[in-house]
Amino acid sequence: DTVLFPVACNSKQYVVEKVTDVAFNSNGTGLLFKVKWLGYPADDSPWQPYRNLRDNAQLKSFLQSPEWQQFSSTAGYQAFA
């Protein structure tokens, strides 16, 4: 079974169901992860900075996914890392 951990956001706690995507923030200095909240529709999935998710099991799972492997192999990510 997957263990779901709450994430604080705007002084509320949300539970991450799944991390679905990754992108650079607007100034290219950090990463944002698209988060599907448990109990909310997929179209209500916000972008969250790494600092909000760093200890999250769903983020760790995403970092093993083909989506992350593809993103992390891009020249843009290689220059960032």
Side-chain angles (χ1 to χ4, degrees), residues 9-74:
C9 183
N10 297 330
S11 73
K12 293 183 180 180
Q13 295 242 330
Y14 297 91
V15 176
V16 177
E17 181 178 329
K18 185 176 184 180
V19 176
T20 61
D21 204 357
V22 60
F24 290 105
N25 64 10
S26 61
N27 60 7
T29 60
L31 298 177
L32 296 173
F33 295 90
K34 193 158 193 167
V35 173
K36 164 67 174 81
W37 299 126
L38 184 64
Y40 290 85
D43 62 348
D44 195 18
S45 297
W47 291 94
Q48 292 290 315
Y50 173 77
R51 70 179 173 275
N52 290 357
L53 302 168
R54 65 178 158 252
D55 296 324
N56 189 275
Q58 283 64 39
L59 176 62
K60 291 176 183 174
S61 178
F62 179 79
L63 295 177
Q64 302 299 317
S65 73
E67 293 87 355
W68 172 255
Q69 298 303 320
Q70 181 178 358
F71 179 82
S72 65
S73 67
T74 64

